[in-house]
Amino acid sequence: MPEGDTILRAARRIRPVLEGTVPDEIRTPQPRHGPDRWPQRLAGRRVTSVDSYGKHLFLRFEGDLTLHSHLRMHGAWAVYPRGARWRRSPRRAWLVVRAGGAEVVEFDGPVLELMTESRTRFDQRLRALGPDLLADDFDPDAFLARLRADDQTRGIGDALLDQRNVAGIGNIWKAEGCWGARVDPWRRVADVSDAEAVAIVADARPRMLAAAGVPAEEGAAAEPTARHVYKRAGMPCPRCGATIRARGQGEDNRTTYWCPGCQR
Ligand SMILES: [Zn+2]
């Protein structure tokens, strides 16, 4: 599943193509969106901004209209020079926005909707999101407040995937952040200190920003996007040599990877 870093990277690629421009053409090839008449409703409108929040991406148009997307498990955003061959079948394109010499394409996007700007502010799903881990003004205290209001008997790994606690983390960076902070993802939230919880997101944040292509600050890790435990079950932990384990966790049974040797 694309995580916040993937969405931020997409926003950073799409922004220079679309922001401030009136697209030459907008198409919604998916038959489901045919009756919505988005190309007609968006015709002639300038894109005022392209931004991400957690795993959500927003194309905002003048005149109070916003395209909201969430990729779920298999969706993807891509930017191609016009005429270039796409990496996925055109049949899987849900949205094509052409501007200048480029095409912005959303593939396999199950959540794609045109909303008014005010509705994005009052939408229950969007309002429920916790602080965006990759936002410039990410506030660890806001994350802690959400985490402490959550069920304290949950495993911390499970709680980190809940976008109401912190928006943007998915299965990869949950596992890697817990490893970085030496916290066992199975430990109950009640038994994780505030400092430990903040250490997990503080470890994941710069790595995710690096994966999103945001220039690193000084003193950043040499290989910020390296994986230490994710999909490395049965292999030795790069820190302590113990064998990395994997097991499904939480309501959705997402596979959690951890090192029993150095994560407590
Ligand atoms: Zn270890």
Side-chain angles (χ1 to χ4, degrees):
M1 178 189 279
E3 304 189 18
D5 55 319
T6 302
I7 304 306
L8 177 60
R9 188 174 64 222
R12 288 169 53 84
R13 288 194 66 201
I14 296 168
R15 191 171 295 134
V17 175
L18 295 185
E19 206 168 81
T21 71
V22 177
D24 300 323
E25 185 188 27
I26 295 176
R27 291 191 289 123
T28 53
Q30 248 291 325
R32 185 199 293 186
H33 289 301
D36 297 336
R37 296 172 51 82
W38 293 349
Q40 289 86 345
R41 294 173 66 190
L42 294 172
R45 295 177 194 259
R46 191 173 305 279
V47 177
T48 55
S49 71
V50 177
D51 50 275
S52 61
Y53 191 104
K55 300 177 184 177
H56 300 257
L57 191 138
F58 302 88
L59 303 182
R60 302 184 198 279
F61 292 79
E62 61 187 356
D64 197 40
L65 286 175
T66 294
L67 275 172
H68 163 234
S69 121
H70 188 295
L71 300 176
R72 299 245 191 261
M73 295 299 280
H74 303 295
W77 283 98
V79 178
Y80 298 108
R82 195 176 171 199
R85 187 182 166 84
W86 295 354
R87 278 176 306 171
R88 295 193 191 192
S89 162
R91 285 198 311 274
R92 293 165 67 181
W94 288 58
L95 177 72
V96 183
V97 184
R98 187 163 59 77
E103 287 174 315
V104 174
V105 188
E106 194 212 37
F107 294 103
D108 301 316
V111 177
L112 182 64
E113 54 188 351
L114 184 63
M115 344 166 57
T116 62
E117 185 61 32
S118 50
R119 210 191 118 207
T120 65
R121 283 195 292 275
F122 293 106
D123 184 89
Q124 290 300 320
R125 298 157 305 165
L126 297 174
R127 278 171 64 93
L129 292 172
D132 178 6
L133 180 57
L134 302 186
D136 292 340
D137 60 352
F138 172 69
D139 178 5
D141 289 335
F143 156 62
L144 279 177
R146 296 286 190 117
L147 187 70
R148 292 308 175 203
D150 193 3
D151 175 1
Q152 299 296 293
T153 66
R154 280 178 113 171
I156 181 67
D158 184 35
L160 287 166
L161 288 184
D162 192 326
Q163 303 295 298
R164 292 170 296 188
N165 290 327
V166 58
I169 288 193
N171 218 28
I172 299 171
W173 296 110
K174 165 203 75 178
E176 293 295 328
C178 285
W179 183 86
R182 299 175 183 251
V183 173
D184 184 331
W186 295 91
R187 211 198 298 171
R188 295 186 321 156
V189 173
D191 300 327
V192 176
S193 71
D194 286 357
E196 286 173 319
V198 169
I200 295 170
V201 295
D203 181 88
R205 186 172 189 275
R207 295 174 186 279
M208 293 176 74
L209 287 171
V214 177
E217 292 167 13
E218 260 182 72
E223 288 185 274
T225 61
R227 311 276 163 80
H228 304 99
V229 287
Y230 181 74
K231 290 206 169 164
R232 290 175 52 89
M235 297 168 75
C237 168
R239 187 164 53 207
C240 76
T243 302
I244 293 164
R245 296 188 58 190
R247 182 147 53 95
Q249 182 179 28
E251 275 175 33
D252 296 331
N253 204 36
R254 303 293 305 283
T255 303
T256 282
Y257 300 85
W258 79 103
C259 172
C262 59
Q263 289 177 255
R264 301 296 163 93

